[in-house]
Amino acid sequence: QNNIIMIDMPREILNASMKNIYTDDKNRIEAIKWLTTFIKKCEAGTKTKGLYLTGNFGCGKTYLISALFNELAKENVRSAIVFWPEFLRNLKSSFSTDFNEKYEYIKKVPLLLIDDIGAESTTSSWGRDEIFCPLIQYRMQEKLPTFFTSNLDIDSLEQHFSVSKDGVEVIKSRRIIERIKQLSTPIQVISKNLRN
């Protein structure tokens, strides 16, 4: 547990486990196989992309990646799981305290999950231009595996990022999407809502 930092995430995510992953639904098999392969590559010291996991509410996207991180934590791999909408709010209110410490940590941590990307408010372009874009730019340059979960597929996320109070900004949005594609492999999970 010392190897995983969770920011604004429910505590039960710490107990996510590869052996407890629900495997009865064939729609989850591609994602589970990808995670298993990622573990093998990590153990072999092979650099590889992260995952952009999209799908419906409650299908277990966050649990799947958290289980992966917990597995690798046993091998002393450090990671961070960040609930993105709340993290942005907290970051904004921490300018006078520990803003740099929080931001630099998630920028440089070996494995990062940005959870629920696309659920944040787009009224301000600050989160997109000053926080998110430099973060993923750094991680792309340093080849640090970066994971995303979202209810939006990549095309819908591009549309989400293009809208701000300043109007529609297609170029800025496209620049971000290109970096996400460089950082991650997209997989969709459409499954039953496991929270019910």
Side-chain angles (χ1 to χ4, degrees):
Q1 290 190 1
N2 292 336
N3 285 321
I4 300 183
I5 299 290
M6 294 193 309
I7 303 174
D8 303 309
M9 296 296 299
R11 296 299 300 170
E12 61 263 22
I13 288 299
L14 265 181
N15 299 320
S17 161
M18 290 296 287
K19 69 175 188 295
N20 291 334
I21 284 176
Y22 175 73
T23 55
D24 292 354
D25 186 342
K26 67 181 187 331
N27 294 320
R28 296 159 61 86
I29 297 301
E30 184 187 3
I32 294 166
K33 280 183 179 171
W34 190 96
L35 297 174
T36 307
T37 303
F38 185 88
I39 290 171
K40 287 176 184 162
K41 284 181 177 176
C42 252
E43 289 171 346
T46 307
K47 283 276 187 186
T48 188
K49 284 183 174 186
L51 182 64
Y52 184 90
L53 197 55
T54 181
N56 56 294
F57 290 100
C59 68
K61 300 181 293 294
T62 306
Y63 187 95
L64 286 169
I65 297 172
S66 300
L68 168 73
F69 283 13
N70 285 340
E71 195 67 32
L72 291 170
K74 297 173 193 168
E75 308 297 322
N76 234 17
V77 179
R78 287 184 308 111
S79 61
I81 303 172
V82 178
F83 180 60
W84 192 246
E86 192 58 35
F87 180 72
L88 282 178
R89 280 192 285 272
N90 285 347
L91 211 52
K92 213 168 209 176
S93 64
S94 69
F95 281 132
S96 58
T97 54
D98 57 352
F99 173 89
N100 279 341
E101 187 186 335
K102 281 181 184 173
Y103 187 61
E104 287 300 309
Y105 186 85
I106 68 155
K107 203 165 94 170
K108 295 175 178 174
V109 70
L111 295 178
L112 174 65
L113 166 57
I114 298 173
D115 188 50
D116 220 359
I117 189 77
E120 73 283 358
S121 165
T122 56
T123 52
S124 162
S125 55
W126 171 81
R128 180 194 65 192
D129 299 341
E130 304 299 322
I131 302 300
F132 188 64
C133 194
L135 168 68
I136 60 173
Q137 174 68 26
Y138 177 86
R139 295 188 66 81
M140 185 180 76
Q141 286 170 347
E142 297 299 316
K143 296 186 167 45
L144 294 168
T146 307
F147 294 73
F148 308 86
T149 65
S150 183
N151 298 121
L152 305 176
D153 62 23
I154 289 277
D155 290 341
S156 303
L157 188 71
E158 183 171 346
Q159 192 176 355
H160 166 81
F161 277 131
S162 71
V163 179
S164 77
K165 68 174 186 213
D166 303 319
V168 177
E169 298 175 294
V170 174
I171 302 299
K172 287 183 177 180
S173 177
R174 195 157 293 154
R175 198 174 287 140
I176 284 173
I177 295 303
E178 285 310 308
R179 282 159 178 73
I180 290 174
K181 286 177 177 175
Q182 287 288 317
L183 281 165
S184 61
T185 301
I187 292 181
Q188 186 177 55
V189 176
I190 302 295
S191 186
K192 70 178 186 179
N193 190 335
L194 299 171
R195 292 178 194 152
N196 293 339

